[in-house]
Every structure is written in structure tokens, then in C-alpha cells.
Amino acid sequence: MSSNQIHRLGRRDARRIAVRAQLLAAPRPTDVLEVVRHLGIVQVDLTPAVAPNVDLVCWSRLGRAYDPTEVDDLLASHRLLDLDGLLRPADDIALLGAEMRQWPGPEPLREWQIELREWMDANDLCRLDIIDRLREEGPLPAREIDDTCLVPWRSSGWSNNKNVVRMLEMMERRGEVAVVSRERRERVWDLAERVHPRHIEVVPYEDAERALRERRLSALGIARVKRPEVPGEQWGVGDVGERAVVAGVEGEWRVALEQLGQPFRGRTALLSPLDRLVVDRGRLTELFEYEYYLEMYKPAAKRRWGYFALPVLHGDRLVGKLDAVADHRAGVLRINALHEDVPFTAAMTSAVDREITGLADLLGLEVVRA
């Protein structure tokens, strides 16, 4: 239970809490599994402009100690799960199991949830066919599974395999199938009973929801009670943690009690655009006073910072954007520009250069500056 005390924080205090909670302060963590356990989720995004999001997130925490094959090994041994497009610790099934059992959600259902349930009910034969096929043949990509849906998904613009993909994704959320691997960006599916941990005690729904909010706040350090809904894990934390206000920022926040009053030693990091420190753009503006947009969907002529610009963290401030592209065919990490939001000191430039070199080493590339 939180107290009625309201903690009064300056923006710098709030930023330091957020950076430290995201394992982006010094010293670095040392274990991949513990990093994912603490962060709770890491988005599985395979955009190849620089590196897949999982690699960027883990490398920015672990540095030179990070080996991408460790994540592959953890997935292969089912200690990590690729679940609904998010990398999660496997024991999260204890917290997610109740939600899976009452998919598409607790009553009363919203209109879109009712539509999902009706579509699944209409195509139950396809669901059973998928279960039988996976049980008999083992892991398969969606393209190798026959579409026996009687009712197409929203009918227009969907090929046969899109029906199957949609069915598999809903079955995943119901805890019936799971992603066992990815081959050339394509998900390979199997029965969840072969992937999820066995003999795990599922936490009741209300208790699990609170535990997930508590862990979300622990990973974020400071967060709003409510935030706009997004696919996958939410950004709001409800009433967990302690009440707080941030000088110069309207409204109330929740802060993780264990983060209050802790020392801070910053470092420099290059972040994925999908990093949890920066992905909530509203929180990013309020606490860090940092402007950022992912510009990969913009025409090249309208981009300010680059196709997949990496936010640059220095201490408790976000100070710039790195426009970099990994060209594996040429064997180079091409640095197109380093955009400075504030004038870099010699020490900042040197620290960023070290991170660029570290990123190139991770990718096995040579640094080339435009």
C-alpha cells in the first residue's frame, strides 16, 4: 500500500529516477536474463536499419558484455518467450495465464472484443485444425498451415495466410500456441504446452494485474496513473507506488519507492527508438524536454534526424540523435550525422564516439563517417 505522502521532485530528480530504473546509469548490469526480468518486456522489432530492437536494448545496458547469441539460447531453452511481439521472462506466464484464460478480456467486453470472439467462434474448426496439425507435425510457420476459416477476417484485402496469421495471434493470446523461433523474420509456431513453462501456478487476474503494474513502475521508475492504450504492455501504472509531483510539469505521477533518494552516476548510451526510456513520447517531452519522432515512415526529404535515428543519452539528459545505418554488405556502420540538441563538450563527444565504436563492434562492422 502506498502512503498519502506526495513526493515533490525536480525534473532532474525525475529524469534520474527514470534513467536508473531503466538500467541506463552506471554501473552496467551484467546478465541478459536479469536485464529482461527487470525491464519486464522488450519489444521484438526486426527493423534492420541498425540492429534489431532486442539487441539495441540489451547492448545499451550491458555494453561489450552483451552477446546476441545469449538471447537466442534463452529463447531456445524457453527461459525467455517471444510473446505477442514482446520478449518476456518465461515465468511471466504465471501473471499472464489468467488473462489468457478469459480472452478476449474480462466482462463487460468492448465492441471490438466481441467482434474478435465472434470471429474465433465462427472459425473454431480452423483453430482445431491448427492444433491438430502442430501436434502431429511440430513447429510450423503460418505459410505452411492450411486456411480452413469459414469467415474471412474482415473479408477485404486478406489472403488465405493472413487469416491463418490472425488466428494464430489470437490463439497465442489465449495461451494455445506460442512462437518457438523466428526464421528470416518469420514466426514459427508450436503448441504452447511445449513452449510455456509447465506446472506453473497461475496468479488470479486481479492480483496479476496489480503485480504487472508494480513491475511496470519498477522498470519505469516514474510514470503516470493513466496513459493512452497501446498494443502489448501499457504505460500507465494505476495506483501502485507513491504519489509524486514534478516541478514544472502539470498533474500527478507515481514513483517507485525504492528509487527515491538513491545516488546517481550517469553514463552515455545510444538508445533504440523503441527503448522504453523514450517510447512514451508524452513522458519523454514532460520529463526530458526532448523532441523525438521515429522518421522511418516519412519521405527522406522530410526527415530531420534520419530514417532510424538513435537517441543519445548522456547522464540524465537526452542530448542528441545519431543517424547511423548498418550496411552489412559493405561491412560498415555508416554515420550520416550526429545531431546535437545541446553543444557537445569534448568529453561528451569522446563518450559518444566510444559508444559508436562499441555498437560497430557488436555488429562486426567498421565505422565510416559521411
Side-chain angles (χ1 to χ4, degrees), residues 8-9 64 70 105 119 125 139 144 149 159 204 208 307 330 332 349 360 370:
R8 302 189 181 278
L9 307 172
R64 295 182 182 278
E70 291 185 63
W119 187 80
L125 177 62
E144 294 185 17
C149 286
S159 68
Y307 178 85
V332 300
T349 300

Side-chain angles (χ1 to χ4, degrees), residues 44-46 75 81-87 134 138-145 158 161-173 177-190:
V44 179
D45 183 276
L46 303 179
L75 285 166
L81 299 178
D82 181 345
L83 179 61
D84 200 17
L86 301 169
L87 193 68
L134 293 177
L140 293 169
R143 59 182 165 78
E144 294 185 17
I145 298 174
W158 283 81
N161 273 345
K162 288 295 185 180
N163 284 332
V164 172
V165 167
R166 195 66 176 135
M167 178 63 73
L168 285 164
E169 288 173 344
M170 293 188 197
M171 292 173 69
E172 178 185 36
R173 294 182 186 123
V177 300
V179 174
V180 69
S181 65
R182 290 182 184 248
E183 296 178 2
R184 295 183 179 180
R185 304 171 63 85
E186 186 177 20
R187 290 170 292 183
V188 178
W189 301 87
D190 199 357

Side-chain angles (χ1 to χ4, degrees), residues 153-365:
W153 172 253
R154 307 265 169 101
S155 70
S156 62
W158 283 81
S159 68
N160 287 345
N161 273 345
K162 288 295 185 180
N163 284 332
V164 172
V165 167
R166 195 66 176 135
M167 178 63 73
L168 285 164
E169 288 173 344
M170 293 188 197
M171 292 173 69
E172 178 185 36
R173 294 182 186 123
R174 287 161 56 114
E176 295 176 310
V177 300
V179 174
V180 69
S181 65
R182 290 182 184 248
E183 296 178 2
R184 295 183 179 180
R185 304 171 63 85
E186 186 177 20
R187 290 170 292 183
V188 178
W189 301 87
D190 199 357
L191 297 177
E193 65 194 49
R194 297 172 179 161
V195 180
H196 294 175
R198 299 181 181 182
H199 312 303
I200 197 163
E201 185 174 350
V202 173
V203 177
Y205 181 81
E206 292 78 8
D207 295 339
E209 284 294 297
R210 185 168 187 87
L212 287 168
R213 291 197 304 270
E214 288 173 344
R215 195 175 67 181
R216 191 179 310 147
L217 181 59
S218 179
L220 294 173
I222 182 168
R224 293 289 195 181
V225 172
K226 292 183 179 180
R227 292 294 293 139
E229 291 189 7
V230 294
E233 185 83 352
Q234 300 304 303
W235 296 332
V237 296
D239 63 352
V240 302
E242 300 276 316
R243 299 167 66 195
V245 293
V246 179
V249 182
E250 294 183 358
E252 189 172 299
W253 298 76
R254 308 298 292 197
V255 63
L257 180 60
E258 69 270 17
Q259 289 292 346
L260 292 169
Q262 295 299 312
F264 180 84
R265 183 157 63 93
R267 58 182 177 86
T268 301
L270 305 176
L271 305 180
S272 165
L274 305 178
D275 195 288
R276 242 178 153 191
L277 186 72
V278 302
V279 74
D280 181 348
R281 310 300 191 216
R283 176 176 177 264
L284 185 63
T285 300
E286 290 178 313
L287 298 186
F288 289 86
E289 301 174 280
Y290 180 75
E291 184 182 10
Y292 183 83
Y293 307 97
L294 181 56
E295 298 182 302
M296 61 190 293
Y297 302 110
K298 287 185 177 182
K302 294 186 177 181
R303 293 175 193 145
R304 297 170 59 189
W305 307 306
Y307 178 85
F308 199 73
L310 308 182
V312 179
L313 175 71
H314 182 73
D316 60 36
R317 300 302 304 262
L318 289 156
V319 297
K321 292 97 176 169
L322 177 71
D323 179 7
V325 177
D327 186 342
H328 289 275
R329 185 167 296 179
V332 300
L333 177 65
R334 186 170 292 109
I335 308 302
N336 295 320
L338 176 57
H339 303 280
E340 300 180 9
D341 286 22
V342 298
F344 280 18
T345 64
M348 291 167 67
T349 300
S350 178
V352 172
D353 284 346
R354 285 195 297 272
E355 293 304 305
I356 291 172
T357 300
L359 178 57
D361 290 345
L362 171 76
L363 302 173
L365 303 175

